[in-house]
Amino acid sequence: MKNIRNFCIIAHIDHGKSTLADRLLEYTNTIKVTEGQMLDDMDLERERGITIKSHAIQMEYMYKGEKYILNLIDTPGHVDFSYEVSRSIAACEGALLIVDATQGVQAQTISNLYMAIDNNLEIIPVINKCDMPNAMPEEVSDEIVDLIGCDYEDIIQASGKTGMGVEQILNAVVERIPHPTGDDNAPLQALIFDSVFNSFRGIIAYFKIINGVMHPGEKVRFINTKKEYQAEEIGVLKMDMIPKKELRTGDVGYIVSGIKNATEVKVGDTITSVANPSLGAIAGFQEVKPMVFAGVYPIETEDYENLRTSLEKLQLNDASLTFQHESSAALGFGFRCGFLGLLHMEIVQERLDREFGMDVITTVPNVSYMVYDKHGEAQEVHNPSGMPEPTLIDHVEEPYISATVITTATYIGPIMTLCLSKRGELVKQEFIAGNRVELQFMMPLGEIVIDFYDKLKSISRGYASFDYHHAGFRPSKLVKLDILLNGESVDALSTLIHVDNSVTLGRRMCERLKELLPRQQFDIAIQAAIGGKIIARETVKQVRKDVTAKCYGGDVSRKRKLLEKQKRGKKRMKQIGNVQVPQKAFLAVLKLDE
């Protein structure tokens, strides 16, 4: 146990942590690096150049004649995947804090750092990309010293591209990060921090042993779910899974026990031995809190069960995804899914398509609201169609976030304008180092879920970084905006919005739907309504056949007779015809500003 080191890599998005992980693996001869970002094994990760999943791998390193086992977990940097980071931190004693030498400390760096400090991790600061011509190691060192209060000598200058500083990083990991603490002779306690689905072997759980020893063939119990299994195979994670005869305190490994049901493995659960059970579960693991909700429906109704199975398998691999059954008059049966952010929602939709072949319709994303009735009773509403009648509502509270934006002084004006237009309130503004400014706002979560991040990046030319955390609920004047097609409400297009923005949004939605809906043989009236009041209307004109084309002269009554006959047919068609809403119309609300 004295020669084991468990550590993770934390950083802001695109600061080069996956490339640096490649150099560490190469230097310790763990694998031969044939292409960039070896740990990012998902197609989506390679295409987008971002880490979506945490990846655990074991390395062996000789230091002063002794062999050390280093368990590395590479984590994502995007704010939408911060739950992955929190799980990785729970399985480590130390962290490499990577900061880009050309960009300096950014919002997510600070957020992940505080998470690591809360878990009492030893922090090793590393300045990456020091080989770049526009690198500023001195300025960035000042920022890191201000941030964590370390000495300048503690900061390692490195480059994931050239391999500079890799040896110092490995030496620092051995010297500075404490070895795991625990008791080999105590009852077994192992923390599950991730799981994957394998179609041949069932569900494979990844864990870290806090106390005790595990052997293959012994009977184990999952404390929270109270299920018991045979440990068919245990082992450590390299690029492939390597079976072992035993795993001891401090080891990070995997267990194959033939679990078939996705609900039986929960991230954060504790594994113990049936023969010598531990009395308590490992404390301190946080449940995930979804921020954004959207309906996910199969395009074909008969695919509903397949979609449920696909979501369960995906949830194993992505514990921050939550879902529950719901039905919609327009779209049939589906699921209300909770996501950590809009990028997370996009990635889940893409993974459902690629990994499970599920073609789905996703409704307009929204957040959850607390609705109080006249008796003072509260109810949480995730969906506009779940709102009670307006006459029964006393007041509605919406979730607020504390948002931190770090940017250069040049872009303060446009960023403030953007945040204030989203009903934000400036809480704090302070200069960090040089001309870099930290702005803190209180903002409604509902205003930022759709396009805030994209706008922030474009007005700051990519120089602003953004991070947020939940800051409770506040009363707000919210109304339910309904979209009616020929008098019928389309529940999938309903949205909850602040009263000040409702008329503008209603008008823009009607205009956009007029462009998107295909023309029918009858007029389609598109209306936006709040309660019984219509606030906007557009009409998609009917497609008309020229029925009088065959009349070459003769009495005008012949033409009138044909037109009257056509009019009666159109009227009957309007009564029985239904309007098909295309998938792109459901996402139209997201793209209103384009």
Side-chain angles (χ1 to χ4, degrees), residues 11 23 84 116 134 140 169 197 296 298 329 390 419 478 490-491 526 535 577:
R23 296 291 83 75
E84 289 283 331
N134 57 339
V140 177
I169 292 173
F197 179 78
V296 174
C419 293
L478 295 167
V490 183
D491 57 355
I526 305 166
I535 56 168

Side-chain angles (χ1 to χ4, degrees), residues 253-309:
Y254 69 90
I255 178 169
V256 178
S257 47
I259 305 168
K260 298 287 185 289
N261 191 345
T263 55
E264 292 175 18
V265 176
K266 284 192 165 54
V267 168
D269 199 352
T270 304
I271 305 174
T272 189
S273 164
V274 173
N276 181 15
S278 158
L279 297 174
I282 299 160
F285 199 85
Q286 293 179 337
E287 275 291 311
V288 61
K289 290 190 183 71
M291 293 283 195
V292 177
F293 296 86
V296 174
Y297 293 86
I299 285 182
E300 300 297 331
T301 324
E302 57 266 24
D303 285 342
Y304 172 75
E305 278 305 322
N306 294 347
L307 180 59
R308 180 205 293 278
T309 314

Side-chain angles (χ1 to χ4, degrees), residues 174-222:
V174 173
E175 288 167 7
R176 296 195 220 165
I177 293 177
H179 61 75
T181 54
D183 184 358
D184 275 351
N185 302 316
L188 175 66
Q189 276 188 317
L191 172 75
I192 299 177
F193 67 88
D194 205 352
S195 54
V196 291
F197 179 78
N198 182 307
S199 45
F200 301 106
R201 312 185 75 181
I203 292 152
I204 300 169
Y206 297 167
F207 60 82
K208 176 195 173 186
I209 299 184
I210 308 293
N211 287 309
V213 181
M214 188 186 285
H215 296 95
E218 75 175 299
K219 209 155 189 211
V220 294
R221 179 184 296 139
F222 287 35

Side-chain angles (χ1 to χ4, degrees), residues 532-546:
K533 183 183 173 189
I534 304 294
I535 56 168
R537 172 182 170 131
E538 293 288 339
T539 307
V540 178
K541 297 305 285 179
Q542 59 194 356
V543 181
R544 295 193 61 166
K545 180 183 174 188
D546 188 0

Side-chain angles (χ1 to χ4, degrees), residues 1-9 20-31 39 55-64 66-74 91-96 124 165-180 193 207-208 236-240 242 244 249-253:
M1 192 164 69
K2 293 215 169 8
N3 287 15
I4 296 176
R5 300 289 183 272
N6 298 319
F7 69 103
C8 58
I9 300 184
L20 198 61
D22 282 355
R23 296 291 83 75
L24 295 172
L25 296 174
E26 205 169 43
Y27 192 86
T28 54
N29 297 318
T30 306
I31 51 167
L39 293 179
H55 300 275
I57 191 162
Q58 189 177 93
M59 305 179 283
E60 290 175 1
Y61 181 56
M62 292 298 291
Y63 178 69
K64 293 185 179 171
E66 278 193 74
K67 188 169 93 171
Y68 287 85
I69 289 172
L70 312 180
N71 290 310
L72 157 71
I73 303 180
D74 178 25
C92 293
E93 282 83 35
L96 294 182
I124 300 176
V166 169
E167 191 179 351
Q168 289 98 298
I169 292 173
L170 289 166
N171 293 346
V173 166
V174 173
E175 288 167 7
R176 296 195 220 165
I177 293 177
H179 61 75
F193 67 88
F207 60 82
K208 176 195 173 186
V236 295
L237 298 155
K238 295 211 170 174
M239 265 329 252
D240 297 315
I242 314 287
K244 293 279 181 187
T249 304
D251 281 332
V252 172

